[in-house]
Amino acid sequence: METQTIPSGLGSRVQEISQSVAGAIALAALGVVAGFVSALGINPLFAILETGWALFGELLQNYIVQPGFGLVAAGYVWWCDDYNPLDRIQVPSLEGVAWIGLGAVGYELAVRVVTLMLPLFGLSHGGHDGQMTPTWRIFFDHPEIIVPGLVVMFVFMAPMEELLYRGVIHDALEPALGSLGRVLVGGLLFGGMHIFLSGGLISLLFTSIFGVLAAAGYERTENLIVPIMAHAGYWLMFSPF
């Protein structure tokens, strides 16, 4: 009986893809672990700040895992000599601005549409019922936290999260996968992270949608500013305080 063998070229290609995806999964998993460690370390510090500046401390409680993401991303940049995130930071083009809007507004619209469909499958998600005050409204009512709040979201937390899940993980997938593969795998890994940090399959579904939108914008523009602005913009406009 004649045995079939896999052509050497195809076998090496499969191995290359497997190694690339496995590396990206490992980075995403390391981000989850670092996020938990960050939460354990940062949360008490933010709680102390909340006792002296209640509203700002309450805002910070929404961003306790991002410092862990930033540490993993920084470690990757230090370890990988040929990846410099500064090369992927530019002033957004008109297309980049459009992707920023699509990432923030398009995600919110997708969430609203999917939320309406969930009861058809016996599911529900209370996090997008519109009953909580969005961050921009809190800023409008309390202008004293506008500047520190915007700095936290746009300068620190969104960049740390996007550098890991769009920059680093995307870079790990780049040698082996094409554009569509990088967008889909990267988006799903971003959503998968939220199973552990946010909880539940509904969170996986919603955050995977944003992950795909952000990854697509980054893939098209090769500019980290695009997913950073989309992410922080969503937090500002739609995320409940």
Side-chain angles (χ1 to χ4, degrees), residues 43-164:
N43 195 39
L45 297 177
F46 287 173
I48 293 173
L49 180 61
E50 189 173 3
T51 61
W53 195 354
L55 200 58
F56 185 55
E58 185 180 348
L59 172 68
L60 290 175
Q61 293 297 327
N62 295 316
Y63 309 110
I64 57 176
V65 298
Q66 282 79 11
F69 299 160
L71 286 176
V72 174
Y76 179 88
V77 172
W78 174 80
W79 175 76
C80 188
D81 295 333
D82 59 351
Y83 177 69
N84 183 0
L86 295 179
D87 295 336
R88 302 290 180 94
I89 295 178
Q90 307 110 28
V91 176
S93 63
L94 288 178
E95 181 183 6
V97 172
W99 276 105
I100 291 171
L102 179 62
V105 179
Y107 172 60
E108 177 64 16
L109 292 176
V111 164
R112 292 177 182 269
V113 170
V114 173
T115 299
L116 292 175
M117 298 173 61
L118 289 178
L120 299 176
F121 304 95
L123 302 172
S124 65
H125 183 64
H128 291 81
D129 56 9
Q131 296 179 1
M132 299 188 72
T133 305
T135 302
W136 72 265
R137 182 66 193 183
I138 298 295
F139 285 174
F140 183 82
D141 293 337
H142 301 274
E144 71 275 9
I145 67 168
I146 290 177
V147 172
L150 291 178
V151 168
V152 165
M153 291 189 295
F154 283 84
V155 179
F156 291 106
M157 301 308 179
M160 285 191 284
E161 188 163 351
E162 289 303 316
L163 177 57
L164 177 60

Side-chain angles (χ1 to χ4, degrees), residues 172-237:
L173 294 169
E174 196 163 335
L177 296 181
S179 295
L180 181 60
R182 291 192 292 268
V183 167
L184 292 178
V185 173
L188 289 174
L189 287 177
F190 179 74
M193 172 265 291
H194 285 82
I195 289 183
F196 303 98
L197 298 179
S198 299
L201 293 177
I202 303 302
S203 179
L204 166 65
L205 172 61
F206 285 152
T207 53
S208 293
I209 292 173
F210 178 80
V212 168
L213 288 173
Y218 178 60
E219 178 69 27
R220 283 288 303 175
T221 63
E222 296 185 346
N223 185 358
L224 273 171
I225 292 295
V226 169
I228 288 171
M229 294 295 290
H231 205 146
Y234 175 79
W235 286 341
L236 176 64
M237 293 186 293

